[in-house]
Amino acid sequence: MKGLLTIGLLIFSNTFMIIAWYGHLKFSEWKWFGKLGLFSIILISWGIALFEYVFQVPANKIGFKGNDGPFSLIQLKVLQEVITLVVFAIFTLVVFKTEAFRMNHIIAFLFLILAVYFMFKK
């Protein structure tokens, strides 16, 4: 159960992270947002990123073996990176419709999935 909770929290965390890091590239199409300066955009991104930490910190605390969770520190990190890439891929396809994934992207993604497989293999 702790494993699923950890993964769910990581998905929420990474959703906010992707929006904070890349959302402003799309939000600039909004009339009022496009007029903001870089410092204002940074502050807005920090505000969004706060929610990333609200989910990330508990995910790591709950999921870490040192706190009776199911994952080692290395497993948590690899899991988090793959979740980041999955969330990023979905965000890119949904929000930035002009971006396209090519075969080399798909192959690279498969290798990342293999990395997770080997990370959890005993």
Side-chain angles (χ1 to χ4, degrees):
M1 190 61 167
K2 284 186 174 185
L4 289 176
L5 180 58
T6 299
I7 290 168
L9 289 169
L10 287 173
I11 290 169
F12 282 118
S13 168
N14 281 280
T15 300
F16 283 104
M17 179 190 74
I18 296 299
I19 293 169
W21 286 11
Y22 301 103
H24 64 89
L25 300 173
K26 188 67 173 180
F27 302 155
S28 63
E29 295 173 1
W30 299 343
K31 193 176 236 181
W32 68 271
F33 196 90
K35 295 178 182 178
L36 295 176
L38 182 59
F39 187 71
S40 297
I41 293 169
I42 290 169
L43 290 177
I44 290 169
S45 292
W46 275 355
I48 296 168
L50 170 66
F51 294 99
E52 172 197 352
Y53 288 97
V54 166
F55 293 108
Q56 180 76 27
V57 172
N60 287 331
K61 186 161 184 62
I62 293 166
F64 182 54
K65 274 188 180 173
N67 295 327
D68 296 321
F71 305 117
S72 71
L73 183 60
I74 295 169
Q75 289 172 330
L76 269 173
K77 182 59 183 170
V78 170
L79 191 60
Q80 192 274 332
E81 291 300 331
V82 169
I83 289 170
T84 296
L85 290 171
V86 169
V87 170
F88 178 77
I90 293 168
F91 177 82
T92 301
L93 292 173
V94 170
V95 177
F96 291 90
K97 294 181 177 22
T98 58
E99 296 288 326
F101 284 96
R102 296 187 310 267
M103 184 54 76
N104 61 322
H105 299 135
I106 294 167
I107 292 169
F109 190 70
L110 290 174
F111 277 117
L112 288 169
I113 292 171
L114 284 172
V116 172
Y117 169 77
F118 285 114
M119 181 60 62
F120 285 89
K121 190 166 175 54
K122 301 258 182 206

